[in-house]
Amino acid sequence: EVLDPALLRPGRFDRQVEIPLPNQAERAAILKVHANEKHLGPDLDLDAVARGTPGFSGADLANLLNEAAIVAVRHDRDVISASDIDEARDRIVLGRRDASNALLPEEKHSVAVHETGHALVAVLSEHADPVAKITILPAGRALGVTEQLPLDERHLYPESYLRDSLAIRLGGRASEILVLGEASTGAASDLGGATELAVHMVRDWGLSPRLGPIGYGDQGPNYLGGAQLQSRPYSEGTQLAIDEEVSRLLAEAEERARSLLSANRDVLDAVVAGLLEQETMSGDELMEIVRRIIGSRASTTSPA
């Protein structure tokens, strides 16, 4: 994309071979090849590993198993367990954990509140992907992570899924405001990702009732300065409407997240306490807390 398009005219390079990233079934087959000479524990399901590695190439998958083997050796074990795979994946995706970036007690509480907000909004959203793990252990530039894994690989994303995704991204900030009384700089990447998604919804995918079914996708190749040198295919008035619609979507998503968390404050507090105690929580442990408290609440309010 950084070369002159003339290089791709007929007669220059007549055949282009594109190698896409492997899908879930292909990742499982690749993992089985690379796991051939490794000792795997009985709790390790390669199909589950394939589901948890969307976007990984064949080389990434080989590196994942090698890293997991190193983790197992460091723990003085001769078999690779599911926990070794999880630790290796976090190391590859997030970066290495370092004792030097340990959080202060008040920061640790803030991160627990933030990540619980993401996770709880995801659990309470009908169209969201399941939560696989929450952790408040810093790794790389991330102070904490809420990991969601789709049940199936998606190729199309309905508007309901996208709106839930916006609320989940802003759930951390909404949780901080609800519990701590103010937001923090920890929401920077969430705000960037949510804004980018909302811009696509309004500008590219026709999901704004105000602008209607119009798409203004990126125009032309990204070279010689990229988007900065490209003129917009719409007026300044349309740009203003896009900005206002993006702001509306983000405000509605944050209000929805705040409403869900406020209505389930008892669950929020319980998950925060659990995270502070054990630092990492699986999706099953999260759901156990949610079901227990919501079930208890329902039985208390039901008529005798």
Side-chain angles (χ1 to χ4, degrees):
E1 65 179 8
V2 297
L3 299 177
D4 192 314
L7 291 174
L8 300 180
R9 288 175 184 164
R12 302 288 177 91
F13 299 99
D14 288 335
R15 185 180 298 275
Q16 298 183 42
V17 179
E18 181 178 349
I19 303 176
L21 292 171
N23 58 32
Q24 182 173 329
E26 292 166 346
R27 290 197 300 274
I30 293 170
L31 284 167
K32 289 174 184 176
V33 171
H34 291 297
N36 221 2
E37 298 181 357
K38 291 181 171 63
H39 301 290
L40 305 183
D43 65 333
L44 182 54
D45 181 359
L46 292 181
D47 290 328
V49 176
R51 186 170 72 86
T53 50
F56 274 49
S57 66
D60 292 331
L61 295 171
N63 185 34
L64 174 67
L65 285 175
N66 289 335
E67 284 287 343
I70 293 172
V71 171
V73 170
R74 284 175 176 163
H75 289 88
D76 199 23
R77 285 186 271 103
D78 57 2
V79 295
I80 300 174
S81 67
S83 62
D84 297 329
I85 291 287
D86 288 341
E87 186 173 337
R89 184 178 60 222
D90 289 348
R91 184 185 181 95
I92 292 171
V93 175
L94 303 175
R96 185 173 65 88
R97 288 202 174 101
D98 190 345
S100 65
N101 63 354
L103 298 175
L104 298 172
E106 60 270 23
E107 291 177 329
K108 190 175 181 180
H109 180 248
S110 178
V111 173
V113 168
H114 184 100
E115 297 304 330
T116 300
H118 288 310
L120 194 52
V121 173
V123 168
L124 298 172
S125 296
E126 180 182 358
H127 307 283
D129 292 323
V131 175
K133 183 176 70 174
I134 323 169
T135 180
I136 57 173
L137 293 174
R141 298 177 62 184
L143 299 181
V145 174
T146 298
E147 184 180 87
Q148 292 176 263
L149 295 180
L151 295 175
D152 300 294
E153 285 195 289
R154 294 178 179 269
H155 299 91
L156 294 173
Y157 297 90
E159 184 176 358
S160 55
Y161 177 91
L162 297 174
R163 287 182 176 273
D164 280 355
S165 181
L166 284 179
I168 293 165
R169 290 168 189 253
L170 295 176
R173 184 176 187 273
S175 183
E176 289 183 17
I177 295 173
L178 177 65
V179 176
L180 306 175
E182 60 182 355
S184 73
T185 57
S189 61
D190 299 330
L191 290 172
T195 302
E196 183 179 0
L197 176 57
V199 168
H200 282 304
M201 291 173 66
V202 172
R203 188 189 66 190
D204 303 333
W205 300 332
L207 299 179
S208 163
R210 178 176 174 183
L211 271 72
I214 298 177
Y216 299 109
D218 293 334
Q219 305 293 314
N222 183 21
Y223 65 95
L224 297 181
Q228 289 80 2
L229 298 182
Q230 298 172 16
S231 61
R232 295 193 185 110
Y234 45 83
S235 67
E236 290 296 327
T238 300
Q239 179 63 59
L240 177 61
I242 290 172
D243 292 341
E244 291 174 348
E245 283 294 274
V246 168
S247 295
R248 178 185 64 81
L249 281 175
L250 295 176
E252 289 178 355
E254 185 176 58
E255 174 56 29
R256 179 162 168 257
R258 187 205 62 78
S259 178
L260 287 172
L261 295 172
S262 180
N264 294 275
R265 178 64 188 269
D266 50 353
V267 185
L268 174 62
D269 291 339
V271 176
V272 169
L275 265 181
L276 289 173
E277 180 180 350
Q278 60 195 66
E279 296 185 323
T280 297
M281 184 179 295
S282 70
D284 291 338
E285 291 172 324
L286 169 67
M287 289 306 301
E288 183 180 344
I289 295 174
V290 172
R291 291 192 187 101
R292 172 171 51 82
I293 295 179
I294 292 181
S296 174
R297 189 195 305 160
S299 63
T300 302
T301 57
S302 61

